[in-house]
Amino acid sequence: MAQDEDAASLSGGFDLIEMRTGDQGDAFLWDGTFSYGDSTNQAMLVFQGGGALNGQIDEVQARLFYGRTIGENTVLLAGVRKDFKPHPRDAHAVVGIQGQVGSRMSWESYAFLSDKGNLTGEAQVIYALPITGRLYLEPRVAVGWSAQSIDAEAIRPGFTEGEATVRLRYRLTDKINAYAGVVHERLLGETRTLARSQGEAVKSTVAVMGFGFSL
């Protein structure tokens, strides 16, 4: 009997396991995604977090989605998000979309509705630029937004933060890569104005190094 080419399977891994070094100290973070399903229907778990190096973990977040593929390169997502740190009681309903343009560019966008009624979101674009067979440059641009003020998090309506990164990745094997790069983060809009008025830092640039792996 021929094997079902569209049988359900487990895939994913950790895209980022990295250390960041800058003027405000050293930090580490991780970002992993695992999915189980076929080419049409998937269950997806996203696990993110980080904190100061040699210190406590400051942020831990998990997202659980049901994904439905539409077309060839687009996945619609619906699910929940749970923040374990820094706000252990926060939970969100989530809708999102992921897509790919050709073999080099991918993008994703999410909207979060918290159990307190706050609507926020984020979006990201990633590009992979080959240099050699194993070496490639990976620029990313991400932005966050909020539909309203969230005083507990010093957030104001509009675009709230942006991040631009460039990582140079080297494929050690088909499933493991190592990288180094630079990350620039800054607050945006009224959130930036509020932070500046309170004497908070509104931008930072840090060096990063780390690795990623897939199943």
Side-chain angles (χ1 to χ4, degrees):
M1 181 179 296
Q3 186 177 1
D4 185 356
E5 295 182 356
D6 198 28
S9 61
L10 178 66
S11 62
F14 279 86
D15 183 37
L16 304 176
I17 301 177
E18 69 184 29
M19 184 178 73
R20 298 186 171 191
T21 302
D23 293 339
Q24 299 179 20
D26 299 336
F28 68 96
L29 65 80
W30 69 84
D31 187 344
T33 300
F34 299 87
S35 63
Y36 180 80
D38 55 30
S39 62
T40 303
N41 301 288
Q42 307 95 32
M44 185 182 301
L45 174 65
V46 179
F47 186 50
Q48 302 173 329
L53 194 65
N54 299 323
Q56 66 178 6
I57 296 174
D58 300 319
E59 297 184 13
V60 179
Q61 179 190 115
R63 306 177 188 179
L64 182 62
F65 297 116
Y66 163 70
R68 175 79 176 185
T69 301
I70 58 172
E72 293 184 1
N73 299 308
T74 305
V75 180
L76 296 178
L77 301 166
V80 295
R81 165 185 147 191
K82 173 65 176 176
D83 295 348
F84 298 95
K85 286 187 176 183
H87 308 293
R89 296 183 179 179
D90 283 3
H92 302 72
V94 186
V95 293
I97 186 169
Q98 298 177 344
Q100 189 165 332
V101 180
S103 61
R104 299 181 181 179
M105 180 180 292
S106 61
W107 55 271
E108 56 190 27
S109 180
Y110 305 95
F112 310 104
L113 180 62
S114 77
D115 51 8
K116 298 180 179 65
N118 297 320
L119 180 63
T120 59
E122 63 186 33
Q124 178 175 234
V125 177
I126 304 172
Y127 191 81
L129 179 62
I131 298 175
T132 69
R134 291 183 176 271
L135 188 67
Y136 62 101
L137 197 65
E138 186 187 77
R140 302 187 182 202
V141 177
V143 65
W145 56 267
S146 177
Q148 67 286 299
S149 293
I150 306 176
D151 292 335
E153 300 179 30
I155 287 175
R156 292 294 180 261
F159 290 113
T160 57
E161 60 186 344
E163 180 179 285
T165 72
V166 177
R167 293 177 177 86
L168 185 64
R169 291 194 187 244
Y170 183 79
R171 293 187 182 93
L172 300 171
T173 70
D174 289 342
K175 296 183 179 297
I176 303 173
N177 65 83
Y179 62 83
V182 177
V183 175
H184 178 73
E185 301 173 305
R186 64 171 55 213
L187 299 179
L188 302 174
E190 294 182 22
T191 300
R192 176 185 176 92
T193 301
L194 176 62
R196 182 184 285 117
S197 70
Q198 296 175 341
E200 302 290 339
V202 298
K203 61 181 179 179
S204 69
T205 302
V206 298
V208 301
M209 60 183 300
F211 68 96
F213 69 87
S214 60
L215 299 178

